[in-house]
Amino acid sequence: MKNKKILIGIIALTVVLAAAIGFYVSQPKLNETAELDNTAAARDEADEGPFHYIDETAIALAGEAESSEEALSQAIGTLDLVNSRRAAAGLGPLNWDPRLEQAAMVRAQEAAQSFSHTRPDNTEWWTVNSAIMFGENLAKGYYNADTVVQAWMDSPTHRANIESGKFSTMGVAIYQAPNGSWFWAQAFGL
């Protein structure tokens, strides 16, 4: 009887270990599938010129994009992580801006089509809403706030946006592509 219990325990442990190893192996590795674009984007108010752009059509469509509860939680979780990094650098916190979140959702959806700071229609990234968008970080293939914020901090241009003293607001959105990949857009405002 005692040997049966030991054998069952060993089998159960083997099954748990096999499941854990399978889960670990199936997760994307930071340097295998997760990617950042090669630079971050920032602009000054002078970049807009005499025109003021708000892409009303894109913003309306962003409200239709569905994200899982986990994706929404991870997007909002970036605020605490970013503010922690900013505090460590002696900077004040950023405030969440739902308008930037909505613009970021447009950009996350567009990044799934064309992973670039140029929009699929070849306009500048900030034309989604030029009144509020002054910085942008993109990423794809990350599945939690910890890893995407760390990747942004490891990139000098993305880190510069996060640690910019000129930004005071932020919004983040994640678009889940049909294949399950997450596309992140972090938008910054003055």
Side-chain angles (χ1 to χ4, degrees), residues 1-65:
M1 185 68 142
K2 186 176 181 180
N3 287 340
K4 271 188 174 180
K5 287 183 180 180
I6 292 173
L7 182 60
I8 291 172
I10 291 171
I11 291 171
L13 182 59
T14 304
V15 169
V16 169
L17 284 173
I21 290 169
F23 176 78
Y24 175 77
V25 169
S26 70
Q27 294 302 302
K29 305 300 181 272
L30 205 56
N31 51 359
E32 286 180 6
T33 60
E35 296 179 34
L36 293 172
D37 58 325
N38 58 359
T39 60
R43 75 176 183 97
D44 292 319
E45 290 180 85
D47 292 337
E48 186 176 329
F51 303 102
H52 183 76
Y53 300 95
I54 297 178
D55 191 338
E56 300 281 354
T57 305
I59 290 174
L61 291 174
E64 297 172 12

Side-chain angles (χ1 to χ4, degrees), residues 43-49 51-56 59 97 99-100 103 119 124-135 166-169 187-190:
R43 75 176 183 97
D44 292 319
E45 290 180 85
D47 292 337
E48 186 176 329
F51 303 102
H52 183 76
Y53 300 95
I54 297 178
D55 191 338
E56 300 281 354
I59 290 174
D97 184 333
R99 298 170 308 154
L100 284 172
R119 299 180 67 195
E124 298 291 333
W125 57 271
W126 47 266
T127 60
V128 173
N129 190 336
S130 64
I132 61 171
M133 293 180 73
F134 287 89
K166 74 178 184 178
F167 298 140
S168 63
T169 57
F188 298 93
L190 303 178

